[in-house]
Amino acid sequence: MTAADAANTHALRLNLGCGNKAKPGFIGVDRFHCSAAQVVATLTGRLPFADSSVDAIWADNVIEHIPDLPALMAELHRVCRDGARITLITPHFTSLSSWRDPTHVHHLSYFSLDHFLKPAVAHYMGGGFAMAEKRLSFGGGIGLLGRLVFAISPAWYEEKWCFVLRASTLRFDLTVVKTPEKSGGTTL
């Protein structure tokens, strides 16, 4: 399938960096020819999709591999329609998974994507996002204590406790905002 063929579908939803993990209802996009990839494209340049043509993006364990996150976010904003949902899943910086893979170039915190909600960064990032939801997951029995400390204060958890009570996975659900004022840090 080409990107042009994909654009002719009713609701364009992309599974970016899909590898061999297909997501039902989503078009697999990867830089390699792999079993779930229907469109071969790099995520470090211009995506082969028209402006405002995408309704949803799913990127599971992808953003930590991208050298220029502001450029990727600007490109996602370009291809998404107003109100599109972007789901980004990545290891938390305290997770051993964040450090075991030598291809990871970013180790992200619960607050890392808040940067892209700020109106002050729109000049190099290209658009607005609102945070619909963000979640931090913990594993194992000691994760209960981590969840408790995190529930008291996410900032306190990351400043004082994160390397004692390690987290596992971050999930960010962003909504694309394409209005003249670009809304900035609005929380839905």
Side-chain angles (χ1 to χ4, degrees):
M1 174 184 286
T2 67
D5 294 335
N8 291 326
T9 63
H10 176 255
L12 193 55
R13 300 184 314 165
L14 306 177
N15 178 6
L16 296 183
C18 61
N20 294 318
K21 296 187 296 187
K23 183 166 177 60
F26 283 71
I27 296 165
V29 180
D30 204 286
R31 69 181 180 150
F32 301 109
H33 293 277
C34 42
S35 65
Q38 297 158 288
V39 175
V40 176
T42 180
L43 301 182
T44 57
R46 188 169 173 87
L47 293 170
F49 302 98
D51 293 0
S52 300
S53 64
V54 175
D55 293 325
I57 289 178
W58 177 266
D60 186 352
N61 286 281
V62 173
I63 63 170
E64 64 274 13
H65 298 273
I66 305 299
D68 190 346
L69 284 183
L72 174 66
M73 296 304 288
E75 187 59 7
L76 297 184
H77 189 272
R78 180 190 69 79
V79 301
C80 284
R81 66 169 177 76
D82 186 42
R85 179 61 69 97
I86 298 173
T87 299
L88 305 169
I89 300 168
T90 186
H92 185 261
F93 73 91
T94 61
S95 170
L96 293 178
S97 297
S98 186
W99 297 95
R100 284 187 179 138
D101 187 337
T103 66
H104 289 182
V105 294
H106 295 287
H107 306 279
L108 300 165
S109 120
Y110 183 77
F111 301 101
S112 292
L113 290 191
D114 290 356
H115 182 73
F116 298 108
L117 307 179
K118 299 174 185 175
V121 299
H123 65 280
Y124 72 84
M125 212 256 343
F129 297 94
M131 186 68 69
E133 183 178 3
K134 60 181 171 177
R135 283 183 258 160
L136 180 62
S137 300
F138 294 84
I142 199 146
L144 293 172
L145 186 53
R147 281 189 282 283
L148 175 62
V149 172
F150 181 79
I152 293 168
S153 170
W156 187 53
Y157 165 77
E158 283 200 344
E159 290 169 10
K160 305 289 183 192
W161 292 98
C162 67
F163 285 107
V164 175
L165 305 168
R166 291 179 181 261
S168 60
T169 305
L170 289 161
R171 177 175 170 153
F172 301 98
D173 289 300
L174 301 165
T175 302
V176 174
V177 180
K178 290 193 173 187
T179 59
E181 61 276 354
K182 293 184 181 174
S183 183
T186 305
T187 300
L188 298 177

